[in-house]
Amino acid sequence: MDKNLEGSDKKKKRKRKSKNKTRLSKNVKISIGVSAAVIIVGLIGGGVYVKTSVEKYKEAIYPGMKIQGMDLSGKNREDAIKIINENYTKAMNEKRIVIKSKDKEYDIKYSDLGLTFDYENTVDEVLKEGKDKDLFEKFKMIKYPKEKDHEIKFTYNEAPVNEKIKNVAKELNKNKVEATISGYGGNFNITDEQVGYKVDEESLKKDILKHIAESKIDEKEVVVEVKLIEDKPKITKAELKKVDTLMSSYSTSYAGGTIDRSTNIEICTNTINGKVLMPGESFSFNNIVGDTTPDKGYLEGGVYVGNKLEKGYGGGICQVSSTLHNAVIKMGILPDQRLNHNMTVGYVPLGLDATIAYPYIDYVFTNPTKFPLYIEGVAGGGTVQFNIYGNSAAKSSKTYEFTSETYETIAATAQYEDDPTLPEGKEVVVQQGVDGCKVKAYRLTYENGALINQELMNNDTYAAMPTTIKRGTAKVQKPAEPPKKEEPPKKEEPQKPAETPKPTETKPQTGSGQ
C-alpha cells in the first residue's frame, strides 16, 4: 500500500476522534449543569419545606411533648392551658388517698389540700423546648419526635395531712402495759404485760407525700398501708417472777415528830413503794418523788436553809431518802449521787445520811444485778422502813456494816439579830446553836462472818448551826418626874420694939495707947 495513503487515513481517524471527544465533553458539561440545577432547585425547595415546617411550630408545642401524660403536640399556649385546666385540674381535685390498717380505713381528699397548680409556667417551659436549636435540629424534632412527659408543679397545704396522721395514730396506737408486782413481806401478786403498737408516723407521711408528688390523672385513688411498730414492755411477768429474796432492809424512827413532818414522810414513802428497777436501770429520788407541793398533800415542816432551820413544804422527806440510802448500801450498792446534809441530823449515824433538794440535789443509784429489784417502803406508827427484794442468785455471801468517826468539831457561834420590838439591852435566844463536825464513814465487808475489807466510803463536813439571838434596840425612856408642889408663903412675925441701950460706964483714961 502506498505509504502516503496510509498516513492520510491515520490523520483522518485522529480528526474524527478529536471531534467525538469535543462532542462528548459538551454533552457531559450540559448533563452536569442540568444535574446541578436540579440539586440546587431541590435544595432550595427542601430548605423552603424545612423552614415552613419549623415555622408552623413557632407558637406551638413540638410533637411528642406531653404534660402529665396529656399529648399537647401542635397546641399553642392558650389551647394547652385549656386542655390542662379541663382535664388535669378537675381530675386532681377529685382524687383521694386511702389509708388502710387491717379492717380500718381513712382517706385524705385532694380537694382538702388547697392545691395550687403552676401549669401555666409548665406550658411555657414546654413551648420553649427545642426553640433554641438551629433550623435543621428543630426540623429533626418535628419529623422524628421523641416522647417526653413533663410534670406540673403544684403546691399544697401539709396541715391536713399532718392532722390526719395524728388522728390515725390516736385511734390505732395501743399503749404497752408493763407487768406489775405488788404486796408486802415477800407475798407478791404479779400481773401480765401487754404488747403495745405505735403508728410509724414518719413512714406514713413519707408515703403519702410521695403519692401526692407522683399523682397521675388516671388514678382516682391510691392506697397507703399503715406500718405499725411493736412496742414491747420492758417489765415482763417472767422477769418479775425472779424476785424471790429479801436482799436488805433498814428502818428509822420519826416518833415524836410533828404531825406535819410525819405526814410528809408517809406520803413520800408511799410514792416510792412498789418501784421496780430492771437490770442496769437507775433510781432517781427526784424523778420519782418530784417536787413536794401542797397539791400532793405535803405540809410545811422543818427544812435546812443554809445554816438555819426554817419551814418548807415536804420537810422531813430527807429522812426517807436517808433510810432508803442505808437499805441500798447494806445490799452492797454504792450510790451514783449522794450528798450529806448541810448540818447534822439525828435519825441516822453521821456520814450515812442523804439529803434532797428538788431539783438541784438528787439521790441516785443503779441496779447492778442481772435481775429486777423491788423496793418496798412502809411508813406508819412512827417508823419508816425500806426492804429491797431481788433474786436469790444475786445474793452474795458478803455482808456489810458501816461505821463513822468524827475527827473534828466545829463550834457553834452566836449570831445576833437586831429587834426594834425589844427594849434596848434585852436579848432573846430564838434558835439554839448546834456544833458542826467533820466525819469519815467506812464500809466494812464481811464474808462468812469474817472481816475482809474496810474502806472509806465518804468524808463529810457538817456546818455548825449558830445560836440565833435577838437583841433589842428600842430606846428605854425614863418616867417623867412629877411637878414640885409650891410652898405657901411664910407669915411675918411682928417685930419687937427695940430695946433702950443701957448707959456705958466711962472710966478716966490713964495713958495714951490701949
Side-chain angles (χ1 to χ4, degrees):
M1 178 182 261
D2 190 355
K3 290 182 178 179
N4 291 328
L5 289 174
E6 185 178 350
S8 176
D9 289 337
K10 287 181 179 179
K11 286 181 182 179
K12 287 179 181 179
K13 287 179 180 179
R14 281 197 294 269
K15 284 181 181 180
R16 283 197 296 269
K17 285 182 181 179
S18 176
K19 286 180 181 180
N20 289 336
K21 284 181 181 181
T22 302
R23 290 193 194 99
L24 181 61
S25 175
K26 286 180 180 180
N27 291 335
V28 169
K29 286 180 181 179
I30 291 170
S31 177
I32 290 172
V34 171
S35 297
V38 169
I39 290 170
I40 291 170
V41 170
L43 287 174
I44 292 172
V48 172
Y49 173 70
V50 169
K51 188 175 181 182
T52 303
S53 299
V54 170
E55 199 67 28
K56 288 179 181 179
Y57 286 89
K58 184 177 181 181
E59 302 295 333
I61 296 172
Y62 283 166
M65 296 295 165
K66 295 182 178 181
I67 295 180
Q68 294 294 154
M70 292 175 284
D71 189 356
L72 299 175
S73 302
K75 300 294 187 291
N76 60 27
R77 186 178 189 276
E78 185 179 345
D79 290 339
I81 290 173
K82 185 178 180 182
I83 292 169
I84 292 171
N85 195 37
E86 289 177 352
N87 295 278
Y88 181 75
T89 305
K90 183 181 178 182
M92 284 290 286
N93 278 293
E94 291 176 350
K95 287 173 63 64
R96 70 177 188 136
I97 292 177
V98 179
I99 302 170
K100 284 188 176 181
S101 176
K102 297 181 179 178
D103 57 340
K104 294 190 177 181
E105 189 175 291
Y106 313 85
D107 72 343
I108 299 175
K109 295 178 181 178
Y110 277 46
S111 57
D112 295 333
L113 298 177
L115 296 170
T116 302
F117 302 99
D118 192 19
Y119 51 80
E120 291 188 6
N121 282 334
T122 306
V123 169
D124 290 338
E125 289 176 6
V126 175
L127 273 168
K128 291 178 183 177
E129 285 272 352
K131 298 296 195 304
D132 57 342
K133 300 181 180 297
D134 61 39
L135 183 66
F136 286 99
E137 284 294 324
K138 291 177 183 178
F139 181 73
K140 186 178 177 181
M141 288 182 68
I142 295 167
K143 277 299 184 182
Y144 309 102
K146 291 182 179 180
E147 191 174 288
K148 184 177 181 181
D149 201 357
H150 299 75
E151 291 184 356
I152 294 176
K153 295 176 182 178
F154 61 90
T155 58
Y156 59 93
N157 185 7
E158 278 190 23
V161 175
N162 295 332
E163 186 177 354
K164 181 64 69 175
I165 292 173
K166 190 182 296 182
N167 291 335
V168 170
K170 187 177 180 180
E171 189 170 333
L172 296 180
N173 285 354
K174 179 185 176 184
N175 292 330
K176 66 182 177 184
V177 178
E178 306 286 354
T180 63
I181 182 171
S182 60
Y184 291 96
N187 298 316
F188 300 124
N189 178 42
I190 301 174
T191 64
D192 289 310
E193 74 278 6
Q194 292 180 23
V195 176
Y197 297 93
K198 288 184 177 180
V199 171
D200 187 347
E201 296 184 32
E202 185 178 346
S203 173
L204 179 57
K205 182 175 180 178
K206 186 177 179 181
D207 288 345
I208 291 171
L209 298 186
K210 182 174 182 290
H211 280 294
I212 293 174
E214 297 174 356
S215 297
K216 297 178 181 178
I217 300 177
D218 56 346
E219 291 179 333
K220 289 290 183 181
E221 65 179 37
V222 291
V223 177
V224 176
E225 293 287 343
V226 176
K227 294 177 183 176
L228 293 175
I229 303 172
E230 198 174 66
D231 190 13
K232 293 183 178 180
K234 183 174 60 175
I235 305 173
T236 65
K237 186 175 183 177
E239 285 297 307
L240 292 183
K241 279 186 175 181
K242 296 176 182 178
V243 177
D244 57 11
T245 302
L246 178 63
M247 308 295 285
S248 66
S249 181
Y250 195 84
S251 64
T252 60
S253 174
Y254 60 91
T258 64
I259 293 177
D260 293 346
R261 189 175 187 278
S262 299
T263 299
N264 294 338
I265 288 173
E266 290 163 11
I267 292 173
C268 184
T269 303
N270 289 334
T271 302
I272 298 171
N273 177 51
K275 174 64 181 174
V276 173
L277 285 185
M278 298 304 287
E281 185 180 2
S282 294
F283 173 98
S284 165
F285 194 96
N286 283 344
N287 286 348
I288 294 170
V289 176
D291 198 2
T292 52
T293 51
D295 59 293
K296 297 177 182 177
Y298 287 101
L299 305 174
E300 285 190 309
V303 295
Y304 283 142
V305 179
N307 60 354
K308 290 183 179 181
L309 183 62
E310 297 183 2
K311 286 279 188 180
Y313 283 101
I317 68 164
C318 285
Q319 183 166 348
V320 178
S321 58
S322 296
T323 305
L324 177 61
H325 170 59
N326 280 268
V328 169
I329 59 177
K330 278 191 71 178
M331 186 181 161
I333 301 173
L334 294 178
D336 304 315
Q337 293 181 42
R338 172 262 170 193
L339 188 67
N340 64 290
H341 287 78
N342 189 43
M343 291 175 284
T344 59
V345 295
Y347 41 76
V348 292
L350 294 176
L352 299 180
D353 58 316
T355 189
I356 293 295
Y358 182 88
Y360 310 106
I361 301 174
D362 200 1
Y363 177 70
V364 180
F365 69 92
T366 301
N367 176 7
T369 74
K370 297 178 181 179
F371 308 98
L373 293 180
Y374 175 75
I375 302 172
E376 178 182 272
V378 184
T383 300
V384 53
Q385 180 170 328
F386 279 102
N387 305 312
I388 301 177
Y389 292 87
N391 185 264
S392 56
K395 196 170 179 66
S396 171
S397 59
K398 295 178 181 178
T399 57
Y400 304 92
E401 290 183 4
F402 302 88
T403 184
S404 60
E405 63 171 351
T406 300
Y407 63 91
E408 185 178 329
T409 300
I410 303 169
T413 59
Q415 183 174 291
Y416 290 90
E417 295 178 358
D418 290 340
D419 189 342
T421 66
L422 294 176
E424 189 176 32
K426 186 172 184 178
E427 295 182 352
V428 177
V429 176
V430 293
Q431 181 174 280
Q432 187 61 50
V434 179
D435 289 343
C437 57
K438 293 184 178 180
V439 177
K440 290 181 180 179
Y442 297 90
R443 180 170 78 163
L444 285 68
T445 305
Y446 294 85
E447 189 164 18
N448 299 321
L451 179 64
I452 61 171
N453 189 37
Q454 178 176 316
E455 58 187 313
L456 178 66
M457 191 168 63
N458 44 265
N459 189 348
D460 298 332
T461 299
Y462 298 89
M465 182 168 67
T467 298
T468 304
I469 303 170
K470 287 192 175 182
R471 180 167 49 193
T473 59
K475 296 291 183 182
V476 180
Q477 294 182 350
K478 293 181 180 180
E481 295 183 2
K484 293 182 180 181
K485 294 181 181 180
E486 293 185 3
E487 296 182 4
K490 294 181 179 180
K491 293 181 180 180
E492 294 185 4
E493 295 183 3
Q495 292 183 358
K496 296 180 180 181
E499 295 181 356
T500 304
K502 294 179 178 180
T504 303
E505 185 177 356
T506 302
K507 294 182 179 181
Q509 294 183 2
T510 58
S512 58
Q514 232 176 314

